[in-house]
Amino acid sequence: MPTPITELERWLNAPREDEHLEFKEAKLSFEFQKALDYCVALANEGGGKLVLGVSNARPRRIVGTAAFPDVQHAREQAWQVLRRRIDVEEVMHPEGRVVVFHALSRPRGEALQRDGRYLMRAGEQLVPMSFDRLQQIAAESEPDFSAGAVAQVGFDALDAVAVENFRSVWATRSGNPAVRSLSTAQLLSDAGLFVGGSLTRAALILLGSEDALRQHLAAAEVIFEYRSSDGSLPYQQRLEFRRGFFAWYEELWERINLRNDRQMVLDGLFRVELPTFDEAVVREALLNAISHRDYRRPGSVFVRQFPRRLEIVSPGGFPPGITPENVLDRQEPRNRCIAEALSRCRLVERSGQGMDRMYERLIRNSQPRPDFTGTDDHQVSLILHGEIGNPAFVRFLEKLGAERLESFTTRDYLVLDHVQREEAVPDTLRAQVKRLIDLGAIERVGRRLLLSRALYGQLGERGTYTRKRGLDHDTNKALLVKHIRENATEGSPLADLVQVLPQLGQRRVQLLLAEMRRSGEVHPRGLRRWARWYPGPEHGPPNAPDSTVS
């Protein structure tokens, strides 16, 4: 699918050059072999894009490129050299031509090489992959670690409380009371935790005794710490849980909930109390840590609670192919045996909808979306921020009604969240926009999206709607004319006129000027970027050629 200009502009405005984007100016040319090296490195990092014709330093701008005039030929050459599909396309932006190399992710368990070199990026440089990284990639094709058998370990290695909690949860959530009468061997066999006469590692992680875990899986530990303030270095409480998950998971939530203050959301006469940490969100985050952490690494899972923030840090990065950007769209359990056991007792869903629900509940509470800052190849860091951001938005969702919200998907909620935070809706969510407009939840004003006028009216906040909607078309034109008349002697450059209406952006200001020029209200003198605007129709002196700003 061709890259839309809006997506290209989103890349330019990204806060930093990340592992999925590489920008090069390449105004005149770019070495083909170097481009292939970058594609190999990007593929080794999960896939990405080499973007030519864009300045690397921020603020990034399009400078245009003459490299690879025949992108079809470049695409064919890349296939001949790499024997992998590399899409090469040109994007014709108003500011100049941009060439994009799209490198798909490497296969699972296989690092890509070129001429015997396994490449990765280090800042601006391409460097050989480290031995540790190559080992990590090779380990991706290994069988499920949690499904491995623990030799010469019997049922006496299990924690009786954990086993009975597991049984009770399974019977209750599945609606199958027969589970309560199963023998321990049959219970674990049905759950996939007792296979071929041996307990699996997953059985110990979920149900093991403290002694068994210390002896066989010392890394299967969760450490809880509470700090009374963000600046508090020493913890006020620390608990270490080294027993099977089902022996302590209720206790950990109870510890968190002891200091889980409730925030009063006030919006006019509307009052509701919301917890700083939603129970369903916290439980889902804990289950993810247990299911997806790398148990071959020696570290523990840390749960750190602050008054308005909860951090869950687990050893091992995301499973292969998973990133913070696609975490809602792709499911790749690192420990399938654990995930399937939790799925059987209905604590998690195989469809991956638990993460969806986490996002939905946070958005409905007007709390920030999950924050994966600090995640790298060695750990996953999930931060849950507890502040209630916008009480009016909580009330807005109440006004939408339970029946309408029941039909909303996670993507619908994400669009609403971007709109209420006045953020651009990503292209990956654009398909939801028309549906939400049809439902009366949002509306389009020019190129902007707003929460609907009707719902603002129901909230008694018509003034807020008017402020967010901004000035109307004629008022915008009047402001531009006023500025141009006040500066008629020296003329007004485009940069000054954009400052008059910064909310519109350069392109929309240019469209307004073109319209006003056709009606004879203003006219330009000078060539393109150096043009200045003057009041009245075009009647400048012969030696001052007129030109529109392109």
Side-chain angles (χ1 to χ4, degrees), residues 68-79:
F68 306 108
D70 187 345
V71 294
Q72 175 64 29
H73 180 63
R75 192 180 304 130
E76 293 169 355
Q77 277 190 302
W79 169 259

Side-chain angles (χ1 to χ4, degrees), residues 251-360:
E251 181 184 353
L252 179 53
W253 164 247
E254 289 169 2
R255 295 287 181 175
I256 293 171
N257 201 33
L258 279 175
R259 302 181 178 91
N260 188 16
D261 66 316
R262 304 184 70 82
Q263 300 178 54
M264 179 69 74
V265 176
L266 303 175
D267 187 41
L269 298 177
F270 177 79
R271 283 176 168 78
V272 65
E273 281 190 353
L274 294 174
T276 295
F277 304 115
D278 185 283
E279 180 178 357
V281 172
V282 173
R283 288 185 183 275
E284 182 61 35
L286 290 171
L287 288 166
N288 278 338
I290 297 301
S291 299
H292 299 304
R293 67 149 291 178
D294 189 345
Y295 287 95
R296 294 167 299 183
R297 291 177 177 262
S300 304
V301 172
F302 277 86
V303 179
R304 299 185 179 98
Q305 182 181 3
F306 300 84
R308 291 293 170 89
R309 187 175 85 250
L310 190 72
E311 299 176 357
I312 300 177
V313 181
S314 50
F318 278 117
I322 306 298
T323 67
E325 292 73 30
N326 68 16
V327 70
L328 285 172
D329 302 316
R330 299 183 62 177
Q331 291 79 47
E332 187 70 30
R334 176 176 274 121
N335 302 291
R336 186 173 295 276
C337 189
I338 293 176
E340 289 180 350
L342 294 173
S343 174
R344 287 186 175 92
C345 66
R346 304 295 196 272
L347 278 180
V348 302
E349 296 189 33
R350 289 287 299 276
S351 62
Q353 290 181 340
M355 184 63 73
D356 291 355
R357 286 198 299 269
M358 180 189 295
Y359 274 76
E360 290 173 14

Side-chain angles (χ1 to χ4, degrees), residues 21-22 32 52 63 119 143 147 151 203 292 296 349 443-444 523:
L21 291 169
E22 180 74 37
F32 181 65
L52 307 180
V63 299
L119 297 171
H292 299 304
R296 294 167 299 183
E349 296 189 33
E443 62 183 62
R444 189 184 297 280
H523 69 280

Side-chain angles (χ1 to χ4, degrees), residues 224-239 255 259 305-307:
F224 169 75
E225 295 177 351
Y226 173 76
R227 289 174 170 81
S228 58
S229 69
D230 288 349
S232 177
L233 293 178
Y235 48 78
Q236 279 68 54
Q237 184 180 29
R238 177 185 171 99
L239 298 173
R255 295 287 181 175
R259 302 181 178 91
Q305 182 181 3
F306 300 84

Side-chain angles (χ1 to χ4, degrees), residues 274-536:
L274 294 174
T276 295
F277 304 115
D278 185 283
E279 180 178 357
V281 172
V282 173
R283 288 185 183 275
E284 182 61 35
L286 290 171
L287 288 166
N288 278 338
I290 297 301
S291 299
H292 299 304
R293 67 149 291 178
D294 189 345
Y295 287 95
R296 294 167 299 183
R297 291 177 177 262
S300 304
V301 172
F302 277 86
V303 179
R304 299 185 179 98
Q305 182 181 3
F306 300 84
R308 291 293 170 89
R309 187 175 85 250
L310 190 72
E311 299 176 357
I312 300 177
V313 181
S314 50
F318 278 117
I322 306 298
T323 67
E325 292 73 30
N326 68 16
V327 70
L328 285 172
D329 302 316
R330 299 183 62 177
Q331 291 79 47
E332 187 70 30
R334 176 176 274 121
N335 302 291
R336 186 173 295 276
C337 189
I338 293 176
E340 289 180 350
L342 294 173
S343 174
R344 287 186 175 92
C345 66
R346 304 295 196 272
L347 278 180
V348 302
E349 296 189 33
R350 289 287 299 276
S351 62
Q353 290 181 340
M355 184 63 73
D356 291 355
R357 286 198 299 269
M358 180 189 295
Y359 274 76
E360 290 173 14
R361 292 183 77 99
L362 289 171
I363 291 171
R364 290 189 67 163
N365 290 346
S366 191
Q367 292 173 311
R369 300 183 291 270
D371 180 358
F372 292 101
T373 301
T375 295
D376 55 28
D377 288 341
H378 307 289
Q379 66 177 24
V380 172
S381 173
L382 170 61
I383 303 174
L384 300 174
H385 297 281
E387 300 87 351
I388 307 298
N390 183 1
F393 183 66
V394 179
R395 188 178 172 204
F396 171 87
L397 292 177
E398 292 285 334
K399 286 291 185 180
L400 278 175
E403 183 176 347
R404 202 182 309 184
L405 290 176
E406 188 69 26
S407 70
F408 276 22
T409 66
T410 306
R411 289 176 172 269
D412 292 329
Y413 279 106
L414 285 168
V415 171
L416 287 177
D417 194 46
H418 282 289
V419 171
Q420 72 104 358
R421 296 179 187 277
E422 301 184 16
E423 300 171 349
V425 175
D427 287 340
T428 54
L429 299 174
R430 285 286 173 179
Q432 313 299 121
V433 169
K434 183 179 184 302
R435 160 182 154 78
L436 291 174
I437 291 175
D438 293 341
L439 288 171
I442 63 176
E443 62 183 62
R444 189 184 297 280
V445 179
R447 297 177 63 183
R448 299 170 60 219
L449 294 170
L450 298 177
L451 301 180
S452 72
R453 179 176 185 173
L455 283 162
Y456 271 113
Q458 291 181 33
L459 293 174
E461 296 191 3
R462 292 182 177 86
T464 300
Y465 171 83
T466 300
R467 174 178 58 79
K468 289 181 176 290
R469 189 181 192 279
L471 303 173
D472 61 29
H473 188 72
D474 290 339
T475 304
N476 285 330
K477 287 168 56 176
L479 286 173
L480 290 176
V481 169
K482 181 175 184 294
H483 182 86
I484 291 171
R485 286 175 179 169
E486 289 176 349
N487 297 276
T489 303
E490 65 274 22
S492 300
L494 177 62
D496 288 358
L497 297 173
V498 171
Q499 292 176 15
V500 174
L501 298 171
Q503 74 278 12
L504 297 187
Q506 179 174 313
R507 184 59 184 159
R508 290 181 64 192
V509 170
Q510 288 175 310
L511 292 174
L512 284 175
L513 290 170
E515 180 182 332
M516 294 159 62
R517 181 187 185 184
R518 289 193 295 271
S519 64
E521 297 173 83
V522 298
H523 69 280
R525 296 180 188 171
L527 294 173
R528 296 186 177 274
R529 71 179 67 178
W530 295 282
R532 290 177 176 265
W533 291 83
Y534 297 85

